[in-house]
Amino acid sequence: MTAVAELFGTTFRHRVLAASGTCGFGEPLVDVMHPSRIGGLVTKSVTFEPRWGNPAPRVAEYPGGMLNSVGLANPGLNAVVEVKLPWIRRHLAGLPVFVSVAGARAEEYAEVVAGTDGERGFLGYELNLSCPNDSHLEGRPFCLDPAALAEVLDGVRPLTSRPILVKLAPNDPDIGATAALAAAHGADGITAINTVPGFLADGDGGARLGAGRGGTSGPALLPVGLAAVREVAAAVEVPVIGVGGILTAADARAYFDAGASLVQIGTASFADPRCAARVARDLEVFAG
């Protein structure tokens, strides 16, 4: 497999992307590396209104990785259009960027897409349908309700000709069927997976996170992500983007062997901000 990929109407110079929530809108990226050293990035999730996020502490480490409950903190649609996307155009020109979109209502996804689609500087969207939201089904993510997933895509797809990725949850009992449903309703690619719901106690009868539960990520997620990608790749014909537990080029190659066309690196970037670039470089060595 070559290090270059032709997907979604563009060229990815590397098959390794920075996952949503790990590099903001790209600002931390340029502080540690030239953007050309990775294949692209997915922005922090954008909601219609600004969100301040969950109470602190928002992150807790444990031996197998990290638990987080940031709560989709972001500046909201208007600030993204007025500040963040212009910054991306100035500093990340030529780098494939997906804008992550989230919401508490199906209509909110459509509002964010409608409000950004006329802007330049990004390739497409990644719909975050696998992060627990604050009103649908008592906090269950949209992707665990087939009707809700279809409603979001049916509202968004007519609004843009850009590629749409749908990010799915690892705790889906039939993730292959969910991926097939997303593709049938217009998804151009599937991102698998998001974090696994988890909890860490503080030793005094309470929780280590201010919000209580959070999303589990890091090395322990690798086999979960690989199993999900294998199932999704067998169920759909659109490209699959693998994410979860990647630390090395060997981990990334395992995702490619499972059926992924691209990979995203998330939690590892907090320990090593240049991890995505290192993995991309090492994959080039393997390819050569």
Side-chain angles (χ1 to χ4, degrees):
M1 176 177 284
T2 65
V4 177
E6 300 285 343
L7 293 167
F8 309 120
T10 195
T11 299
F12 293 84
R13 294 178 59 187
H14 305 284
R15 293 180 180 269
V16 181
L17 283 63
S20 179
T22 63
C23 61
F25 292 86
E27 305 96 333
L29 180 74
V30 299
D31 289 338
V32 297
M33 73 178 80
H34 194 279
S36 64
R37 293 181 62 190
I38 63 172
L41 67 87
V42 185
T43 71
K44 174 183 284 290
S45 289
V46 179
T47 54
F48 184 72
E49 297 288 347
R51 292 197 187 186
W52 302 110
N54 287 332
R58 296 178 175 182
V59 175
E61 293 185 71
Y62 77 106
M66 185 176 79
L67 190 72
N68 86 86
S69 184
V70 175
L72 297 176
N74 77 97
L77 172 62
N78 288 342
V80 168
V81 170
E82 295 171 5
V83 179
K84 299 300 184 180
L85 290 180
W87 187 93
I88 287 173
R89 289 194 291 269
R90 291 195 303 272
H91 297 278
L92 302 180
L95 186 72
V97 172
F98 289 93
V99 172
S100 176
V101 183
R105 303 167 289 107
E107 296 82 8
E108 190 171 355
Y109 289 85
E111 291 166 346
V112 173
V113 170
T116 54
D117 192 57
E119 303 296 318
R120 297 176 293 105
F122 68 101
L123 173 63
Y125 297 98
E126 182 179 83
L127 304 184
N128 184 354
L129 300 184
S130 47
C131 180
N133 55 85
D134 51 15
S135 70
H136 177 73
L137 291 179
E138 300 180 349
R140 287 180 60 203
F142 285 92
C143 68
L144 296 185
D145 178 349
L149 180 146
E151 181 183 4
V152 172
L153 277 164
D154 289 347
V156 168
R157 182 70 277 178
L159 300 176
T160 182
S161 60
R162 300 177 194 258
I164 294 175
L165 311 179
V166 171
K167 192 169 187 177
L168 299 183
N171 53 322
D172 186 333
D174 196 349
I175 194 171
T178 302
L181 178 66
H185 284 265
D188 299 291
I190 304 295
T191 302
I193 52 175
N194 211 322
T195 57
V196 175
F199 176 87
L200 288 172
D202 64 3
D204 294 315
R208 289 181 61 185
L209 295 183
R213 287 165 40 111
T216 308
S217 63
L221 205 59
L222 180 66
V224 182
L226 289 172
V229 165
R230 287 176 63 88
E231 187 172 345
V232 170
V236 300
E237 296 184 358
V238 298
V240 180
I241 297 87
V243 55
I246 299 173
L247 298 178
T248 66
D251 297 335
R253 291 181 70 192
Y255 270 101
F256 298 141
D257 290 343
S261 297
L262 302 169
V263 295
Q264 296 176 11
I265 291 184
T267 299
S269 296
F270 295 117
D272 175 9
R274 297 179 178 85
C275 180
R278 173 175 51 78
V279 171
R281 179 200 65 208
D282 292 348
L283 285 171
E284 286 190 335
V285 172
F286 279 126

